[in-house]
Amino acid sequence: MNTLARSIKFALFGTALAALTPAYVIAQQTQVNISVQPLGQALNVLSQQTGTVIIAPSRLVSGKQAVATSGELSVLNAVEKLLDGSGLQAHEQPSGAIVIKKAMQKNKSQNKRAATYQAPMDEVVVTALKRDSSLQDTPVAISVLGADELKAQGVTDFTDLIDSLSGISINSAFGGPENSFITIRGIGGADDYKPNGNPSVALHVDGIYQTSNAYLSMPLFDLERIEVLKGPQGTLYGRNTTAGAINAITRAPGEELNGYADIEYGSYDFVSGTAAVGGKVSDNLGVRVAVLMEQGGGFMDSKGAGNFAGFVPQGTEGIVPPVADPGERDGFGDADLFAFRGTAVYDFDDVTSLTLHYFTSQDRGDTRQYDRIAFEDDNPSLNAGEGNDPYDFYTSEYYSHEIDVSGFSGDFNRQLQSGLNLDILFALQSSERNVSGNGDGTSFPRYQYNFDDDLDQTSLEIRLSDATGGEFDWIAGAFFMNDSVDFTSNWTSYAVLSQYSSPYNQRRNSFATFGNIDWNISNDLVISGGLRYTKDNAKFRGENIDADPWGLSVFEETFKTDANFSWDREFDDSNVSGKLAIQYFINDNLNVFASVSTAYRGGGFDGTSIFSEEETQPFESEEVLAYEAGARYVTDNINFTFDLFSYDFEELQATARLSNDTNGRTNVGEATVRGAEASIAVTLYEANDHKITFNTAGTYLDTEITEFSSNRVNDVVSTIGDPLPGSPEWSQTAVLNYQTSLTNNTQLNARLNYSYHGEESNRLNAGDGNTAPSYNLLGVRLDVTFANGLNVYAYGRNITDEVYFLELNGGARLVGAPATYGGGVSYAF
């Protein structure tokens, strides 16, 4: 690792941490003056005036009046006064949110008042329905990872979610971890990894839609939580949500001075540092800054070019340059990352606020390489002498990447009147990436690539909502988005005996209007309905260039097409998506729901390298009809969820063989997804400062391609009946956690976490060489937290040192990390 580079990163890290320290801590009380009015309306006013999240389910506050409340009060005391005589109670969460619950009933054999409601686990507040709600009352399939869980699991980008949640996979397809896409419940495994594609999973950061899979490797840090919505989300989230939506929510400045610093060291010289500080700098302004630094961690060893050192194709000696030998290198795959985020929240008055985020990151790490299966099991013409060690690889060049992401976003919120809220979300974001590699996992440059792309996106979402507990709660809005992609794929190929490229640009605009309404028929029954209309336009221009630098090109013979052509295409489409749902609260602990919905993945253009004019033609939008049903059961000691789902796809998008036998993005047929998902969190033991909890979640998938179109009869026969790519039949996660108090208010926390990922294919027409075996991962973590905020921790991941593969591509393999261990020190205030 470059020592100077590491020193510079640490210096920047320390400077950023010390650069800003909030100067004020606000008072615990605020002036409250709320008149008699409907209870839901009054709580909404108080939430807006104080900036506190107050979760008041409509089924509880509907038809109730608030008690007039005024004076210098804490938010919790103000809520309690508003609730007086309502039969409801307020419960303050560790996050500062306040959740309204039914008051505990008196025990008839006693005269004393019952204790206040205690949450079963910590109540989780989510924004899955584009408004604050309790996780247990949200009628969608959703998984949430809080800040502590994200830290314990080592989640630092979207791709790290794979072994933290069941039912989620990642597929790299070609190009390694920097060219990947996520699959949820078997949907998305046939996606296009290129920057102009339409991913099935809609990524969001603080509610801002990320238009491209290029943002999958965006660093995530200083997070409040990550919400993963599983299944189609066409009504509220729109296009490209046939698999679901993921939203990373960053931490707000906070009302009081707060912050932390964390330094970690682990296997393979991995070093990480994160820090943040936030709070009020004036009565109206709160500010937070956060930084992240990562270095090292490369666990691959290179043997250089091996058998191919000095090789040139027969008959091209003196014309085609020989394969270079870069020499052996240990510890390849090091991270080299620095990221910064600044957040400001300004309160114009009691009912108007503006939140601004600025983010930038710079990634100069090594591009993790494929290795190949052992020489004796492989095609010798592609194997440089590989052994059985999957952590060794051969290469003619050591590839690193340059990935820069920056963006500015904001959220303007105003309470127009007591029952009407306005939200305006806006964003400007850009990314520049340069990634190279050899997807064959060999030093022989059969197809050696360099991908260079520039992305820019702007978006605007305007929402009006009323969720104050009347007969109807509703939300309506409009969404505007445009993005541009300039992409060049450059290839050096000894198979084609040429260097060729496909520079193109795509300009895309999308507009949508949407609305959703909840009809609170009674305190126990809610019917919801929503519609969304979307209009898309994309323009796609580019050219194919066969440079033929050696005068030996067989491009036209290889791809059965003319070389050196250009194109100018346009695609227009519109869609109406909808959802109808019903939710019934059987009692305070148990509710059930069911829904039917539609969603779509936008049509457009192939983002892979364009080798024929047929590949420049647009493909149609993919559509899905989804049925869901679920149950939520919550008590003081148990939290149980169960979901059933059934999806039917038409115009399935995937990369398939075209008429000239090249690969192209097109509509290939129909598919079905059936499955079930369950999770349980339970307190096994709690007494005498000891607490043991256990939670587990599992997903079962049954996916099938039911119709397939191709000019190759063998492909049709072999594909129909196959499972979808990225759809393991079973996946599971589990965590056993022990917590106890030691002397001097010191806390000890020990956890054991497990994940299982079933066998899955990586692509259509998958054979044994494209089907990754199942694997099990086991991890441990120990934390000791002192009363002064100091925390010392140690961890082990994949402690059984299981060899597993994220992708198999014929003879090439992308291996997962071996056993890694580490520890660190953090301080929070």
Side-chain angles (χ1 to χ4, degrees), residues 506-547:
Q506 178 178 282
R507 304 293 183 263
R508 181 170 50 191
N509 295 284
S510 184
F511 164 76
T513 57
F514 61 92
N516 192 84
I517 187 167
D518 298 334
W519 179 18
N520 302 294
I521 297 176
S522 70
N523 287 346
D524 301 319
L525 182 62
V526 181
I527 293 179
S528 304
L531 285 173
R532 187 182 189 105
Y533 169 79
T534 305
K535 176 69 174 176
D536 289 328
N537 172 267
K539 296 180 179 179
F540 187 52
R541 302 179 178 90
E543 58 183 325
N544 171 276
I545 302 170
D546 178 18

Coordinates of all heavy atoms in Angstrom, one line a residue, residues 506-547:
Q506 N -26.7 8.8 -24.1 CA -28.1 8.6 -23.9 C -28.7 9.8 -23.1 O -28.1 10.1 -22.0 CB -28.5 7.3 -23.2 CG -29.9 7.1 -22.9 CD -30.2 5.8 -22.3 OE1 -30.3 4.7 -22.9 NE2 -30.5 5.8 -20.9
R507 N -29.8 10.3 -23.5 CA -30.4 11.4 -22.8 C -31.8 10.9 -22.5 O -32.6 10.6 -23.4 CB -30.5 12.7 -23.6 CG -29.1 13.2 -24.0 CD -28.2 13.6 -22.8 NE -26.9 14.2 -23.2 CZ -25.8 13.5 -23.2 NH1 -25.8 12.2 -22.9 NH2 -24.7 14.0 -23.6
R508 N -32.2 11.0 -21.2 CA -33.5 10.4 -20.8 C -34.3 11.4 -19.9 O -33.7 12.0 -19.1 CB -33.3 9.1 -20.1 CG -34.5 8.3 -19.6 CD -34.1 6.9 -19.2 NE -33.0 6.9 -18.2 CZ -32.4 5.9 -17.8 NH1 -32.7 4.7 -18.3 NH2 -31.4 5.9 -16.9
N509 N -35.6 11.5 -20.2 CA -36.5 12.3 -19.4 C -37.6 11.4 -18.9 O -38.1 10.6 -19.6 CB -37.0 13.5 -20.2 CG -35.9 14.4 -20.6 OD1 -35.4 15.2 -19.8 ND2 -35.5 14.4 -21.8
S510 N -38.1 11.7 -17.7 CA -39.2 10.9 -17.1 C -40.0 11.9 -16.3 O -39.5 12.7 -15.5 CB -38.7 9.8 -16.3 OG -39.8 9.0 -15.8
F511 N -41.4 11.7 -16.5 CA -42.3 12.5 -15.7 C -43.4 11.6 -15.2 O -43.8 10.7 -15.8 CB -43.0 13.6 -16.6 CG -44.2 14.2 -16.0 CD1 -44.1 15.1 -15.0 CD2 -45.5 13.8 -16.5 CE1 -45.3 15.6 -14.5 CE2 -46.6 14.3 -15.9 CZ -46.5 15.2 -14.9
A512 N -43.8 11.9 -13.9 CA -44.8 11.0 -13.3 C -45.7 11.8 -12.4 O -45.3 12.8 -11.8 CB -44.2 9.9 -12.6
T513 N -47.0 11.4 -12.3 CA -47.9 11.9 -11.3 C -48.4 10.7 -10.6 O -48.6 9.6 -11.1 CB -49.1 12.7 -11.9 OG1 -49.8 11.9 -12.9 CG2 -48.6 13.9 -12.7
F514 N -48.7 10.9 -9.3 CA -49.1 9.7 -8.5 C -50.0 10.2 -7.3 O -50.0 11.4 -6.9 CB -47.9 9.0 -7.9 CG -47.0 9.8 -7.0 CD1 -47.2 9.8 -5.7 CD2 -46.0 10.5 -7.6 CE1 -46.3 10.6 -4.8 CE2 -45.1 11.3 -6.8 CZ -45.3 11.3 -5.4
G515 N -50.7 9.3 -6.8 CA -51.6 9.5 -5.7 C -51.9 8.2 -4.9 O -52.0 7.2 -5.6
N516 N -52.1 8.3 -3.6 CA -52.4 7.2 -2.8 C -53.4 7.6 -1.7 O -53.1 8.7 -1.1 CB -51.2 6.5 -2.2 CG -51.5 5.1 -1.7 OD1 -51.5 4.1 -2.4 ND2 -51.7 5.1 -0.3
I517 N -54.4 6.9 -1.4 CA -55.3 7.2 -0.4 C -55.6 6.1 0.5 O -55.7 4.9 0.0 CB -56.6 7.8 -1.0 CG1 -57.6 8.4 0.1 CG2 -57.3 6.7 -1.8 CD1 -58.7 9.2 -0.5
D518 N -55.6 6.3 1.8 CA -56.0 5.3 2.8 C -57.4 5.7 3.4 O -57.5 6.8 3.9 CB -55.0 5.3 4.0 CG -53.6 4.9 3.5 OD1 -53.5 4.2 2.5 OD2 -52.6 5.3 4.2
W519 N -58.3 4.8 3.3 CA -59.6 5.0 3.8 C -59.7 4.2 5.1 O -59.7 3.0 5.2 CB -60.7 4.5 2.8 CG -62.1 4.6 3.3 CD1 -62.6 5.4 4.3 CD2 -63.2 3.9 2.7 NE1 -63.9 5.3 4.4 CE2 -64.4 4.4 3.5 CE3 -63.4 3.0 1.7 CZ2 -65.6 3.9 3.2 CZ3 -64.7 2.5 1.5 CH2 -65.8 3.0 2.2
N520 N -59.8 5.0 6.2 CA -59.9 4.4 7.6 C -61.3 4.1 7.9 O -62.0 4.9 8.5 CB -59.3 5.3 8.6 CG -57.8 5.7 8.3 OD1 -57.0 4.8 8.3 ND2 -57.5 6.9 8.0
I521 N -61.8 2.9 7.4 CA -63.2 2.6 7.5 C -63.6 2.5 9.0 O -64.7 2.9 9.4 CB -63.5 1.3 6.8 CG1 -63.2 1.4 5.3 CG2 -64.9 0.8 7.0 CD1 -63.4 0.2 4.5
S522 N -62.7 1.9 9.8 CA -62.9 1.9 11.2 C -61.6 1.9 11.9 O -60.6 2.0 11.2 CB -63.7 0.6 11.6 OG -62.9 -0.6 11.4
N523 N -61.6 1.7 13.2 CA -60.3 1.7 13.9 C -59.5 0.4 13.6 O -58.3 0.4 13.9 CB -60.5 1.7 15.4 CG -61.0 3.1 15.9 OD1 -60.8 4.1 15.2 ND2 -61.5 3.2 17.1
D524 N -60.1 -0.5 13.0 CA -59.5 -1.8 12.7 C -59.3 -2.1 11.2 O -58.5 -3.0 10.9 CB -60.2 -3.0 13.3 CG -60.4 -2.8 14.8 OD1 -59.4 -2.4 15.5 OD2 -61.5 -3.1 15.4
L525 N -59.9 -1.4 10.3 CA -60.0 -1.7 8.9 C -59.5 -0.5 8.1 O -60.1 0.6 8.2 CB -61.3 -2.2 8.5 CG -61.5 -2.7 7.1 CD1 -60.6 -3.9 6.8 CD2 -63.0 -3.0 6.8
V526 N -58.5 -0.8 7.2 CA -58.0 0.3 6.3 C -58.0 -0.3 4.9 O -57.4 -1.4 4.7 CB -56.6 0.8 6.7 CG1 -56.2 1.9 5.8 CG2 -56.6 1.2 8.2
I527 N -58.6 0.4 3.9 CA -58.4 0.1 2.5 C -57.6 1.2 1.8 O -57.9 2.4 2.0 CB -59.8 -0.1 1.9 CG1 -60.5 -1.3 2.5 CG2 -59.7 -0.2 0.4 CD1 -61.9 -1.5 1.9
S528 N -56.6 0.8 1.0 CA -55.8 1.7 0.4 C -55.8 1.5 -1.1 O -55.9 0.4 -1.6 CB -54.3 1.6 0.9 OG -54.2 1.7 2.3
G529 N -55.7 2.6 -1.9 CA -55.6 2.5 -3.3 C -54.7 3.6 -3.9 O -54.6 4.7 -3.3
G530 N -54.0 3.3 -5.0 CA -53.1 4.3 -5.5 C -52.9 4.1 -7.0 O -53.1 3.0 -7.6
L531 N -52.6 5.1 -7.7 CA -52.3 5.1 -9.2 C -51.1 6.0 -9.4 O -50.8 7.0 -8.8 CB -53.5 5.6 -10.0 CG -54.7 4.7 -10.1 CD1 -55.8 5.5 -10.8 CD2 -54.4 3.5 -10.9
R532 N -50.3 5.6 -10.5 CA -49.2 6.4 -11.0 C -49.1 6.4 -12.5 O -49.2 5.3 -13.1 CB -47.9 5.9 -10.4 CG -46.7 6.8 -10.7 CD -45.4 6.2 -10.1 NE -44.3 7.1 -10.2 CZ -43.8 7.8 -9.1 NH1 -44.3 7.6 -7.9 NH2 -42.8 8.6 -9.3
Y533 N -49.0 7.5 -13.1 CA -48.9 7.6 -14.5 C -47.5 8.1 -14.8 O -47.0 9.1 -14.2 CB -49.9 8.6 -15.1 CG -49.5 9.0 -16.6 CD1 -49.9 8.1 -17.6 CD2 -48.9 10.2 -16.9 CE1 -49.6 8.4 -18.9 CE2 -48.6 10.5 -18.2 CZ -48.9 9.6 -19.2 OH -48.6 9.9 -20.5
T534 N -46.8 7.4 -15.7 CA -45.4 7.8 -16.0 C -45.2 7.9 -17.5 O -45.7 7.1 -18.3 CB -44.4 6.7 -15.5 OG1 -44.6 6.5 -14.1 CG2 -43.0 7.1 -15.7
K535 N -44.4 8.9 -17.9 CA -44.1 9.2 -19.3 C -42.6 9.2 -19.4 O -41.9 10.0 -18.8 CB -44.7 10.5 -19.8 CG -44.4 10.9 -21.2 CD -45.0 10.0 -22.3 CE -44.7 10.5 -23.7 NZ -45.2 9.5 -24.7
D536 N -42.0 8.4 -20.3 CA -40.6 8.3 -20.5 C -40.2 8.6 -21.9 O -40.9 8.3 -22.9 CB -40.1 6.9 -20.2 CG -40.1 6.5 -18.7 OD1 -40.0 7.4 -17.9 OD2 -40.3 5.3 -18.4
N537 N -39.0 9.3 -22.1 CA -38.5 9.5 -23.4 C -36.9 9.3 -23.3 O -36.3 9.8 -22.3 CB -38.8 10.9 -23.9 CG -38.0 11.2 -25.2 OD1 -36.9 11.8 -25.2 ND2 -38.6 10.9 -26.3
A538 N -36.4 8.6 -24.2 CA -34.9 8.4 -24.2 C -34.4 8.5 -25.7 O -35.0 8.1 -26.6 CB -34.6 7.0 -23.7
K539 N -33.3 9.2 -25.8 CA -32.6 9.4 -27.1 C -31.2 8.7 -27.0 O -30.5 9.0 -26.0 CB -32.5 10.9 -27.4 CG -33.8 11.5 -27.7 CD -33.7 13.0 -28.0 CE -35.0 13.6 -28.2 NZ -34.9 15.1 -28.6
F540 N -30.8 8.0 -28.0 CA -29.7 7.1 -27.9 C -28.9 7.3 -29.2 O -29.4 7.0 -30.3 CB -30.1 5.7 -27.7 CG -29.0 4.7 -27.5 CD1 -28.1 4.9 -26.5 CD2 -29.0 3.5 -28.2 CE1 -27.1 3.9 -26.2 CE2 -28.0 2.6 -28.0 CZ -27.1 2.8 -27.0
R541 N -27.6 7.8 -29.1 CA -26.8 8.1 -30.2 C -25.4 7.5 -30.0 O -24.9 7.6 -28.9 CB -26.7 9.6 -30.5 CG -28.0 10.3 -30.8 CD -27.8 11.8 -31.0 NE -29.1 12.4 -31.3 CZ -29.8 13.0 -30.4 NH1 -29.5 12.9 -29.1 NH2 -31.0 13.6 -30.7
G542 N -24.8 7.0 -31.0 CA -23.4 6.5 -30.9 C -22.9 6.0 -32.1 O -23.5 6.1 -33.2
E543 N -21.7 5.3 -32.0 CA -21.1 4.7 -33.2 C -20.3 3.5 -32.7 O -19.9 3.4 -31.6 CB -20.2 5.7 -33.9 CG -19.1 6.3 -33.0 CD -18.3 7.4 -33.8 OE1 -18.1 7.2 -35.0 OE2 -17.9 8.4 -33.1
N544 N -20.0 2.6 -33.7 CA -19.1 1.5 -33.5 C -17.8 1.8 -34.3 O -17.9 2.2 -35.5 CB -19.8 0.2 -34.0 CG -18.8 -0.9 -34.0 OD1 -18.1 -1.1 -35.0 ND2 -18.8 -1.7 -33.0
I545 N -16.7 1.6 -33.6 CA -15.4 1.9 -34.3 C -14.5 0.7 -34.2 O -14.1 0.3 -33.1 CB -14.7 3.1 -33.7 CG1 -15.7 4.4 -33.7 CG2 -13.4 3.4 -34.3 CD1 -15.2 5.5 -32.9
D546 N -14.1 0.1 -35.3 CA -13.1 -0.9 -35.3 C -11.8 -0.2 -35.7 O -11.6 0.0 -36.9 CB -13.5 -2.0 -36.2 CG -12.4 -3.1 -36.3 OD1 -11.6 -3.2 -35.4 OD2 -12.4 -3.9 -37.3
A547 N -10.9 0.0 -34.8 CA -9.7 0.8 -35.1 C -8.7 0.0 -35.9 O -7.9 0.5 -36.7 CB -9.0 1.2 -33.8

